[in-house]
């Protein structure tokens, strides 16, 4: 088994920590520049998520049918097709997040931190 499940879990934990740290609107962000920076980083996260979902979909669909043998007693189902379709839909959602966050970054342009 690879380290991929642990890496995905760690990434989810970091995002959960960010979400928990920013729940109070009175002190979640210090200033608009910080908001712009977080928005840019979340766009990059969405971009990487889109890539990871594309790779996941490819691997789901490329597995041998023998890899998808159901547990004893269950009827065979098209696991790869169903999972691949769902992951493909999630990838489209991530692509939309990237596009929407791009628009937010453009709107926040005056508040970007200097390089």
């Amino acid at each position: 088994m690879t380290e991929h499940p642990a890496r995905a879990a760690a990434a989810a934990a970091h995002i959960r920590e960010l979400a928990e740290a920013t729940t109070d609107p009175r002190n979640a962000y210090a200033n608009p520049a910080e908001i712009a920076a977080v928005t840019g980083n979340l766009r990059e996260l969405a971009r990487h998520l889109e890539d990871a979902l594309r790779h996941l979909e490819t691997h789901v669909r490329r597995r041998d049918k023998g890899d998808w043998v159901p547990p004893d007693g269950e009827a065979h189902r098209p696991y790869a097709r169903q999972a691949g379709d769902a992951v493909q839909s999630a990838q489209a959602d991530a692509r939309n997040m990237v596009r929407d966050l791009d628009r937010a970054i453009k709107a926040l342009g005056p508040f970007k931190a200097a390089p």
Side-chain angles (χ1 to χ4, degrees):
M1 187 172 205
T2 67
E3 294 179 10
H4 303 324
R7 287 179 178 176
H14 286 298
I15 296 303
R16 183 177 55 248
E17 289 171 8
L18 173 64
E20 290 170 357
T22 57
T23 56
D24 186 350
R26 294 170 294 173
N27 60 10
Y29 295 101
N31 54 51
E34 191 174 270
I35 292 171
V38 170
T39 303
N41 289 328
L42 289 174
R43 181 199 50 199
E44 290 306 306
L45 171 70
R47 185 170 289 145
H48 294 303
L49 178 61
E50 180 186 0
D51 290 342
L53 288 167
R54 183 177 54 255
H55 300 160
L56 179 62
E57 179 201 1
T58 298
H59 291 285
V60 165
R61 294 185 191 277
R62 294 177 92 189
R63 303 301 291 179
D64 286 337
K65 289 188 181 197
D67 290 341
W68 297 106
V69 174
D72 289 343
E74 291 189 27
H76 179 72
R77 296 190 327 233
Y79 296 102
R81 182 173 47 82
Q82 290 173 350
D85 290 350
V87 172
Q88 186 178 40
S89 177
Q91 180 188 352
D93 289 343
R95 186 177 314 114
N96 289 337
M97 279 194 288
V98 171
R99 187 176 50 240
D100 292 342
L101 289 167
D102 274 336
R103 285 197 298 263
I105 289 167
K106 286 178 184 163
L108 294 168
F111 300 103
K112 282 176 52 176

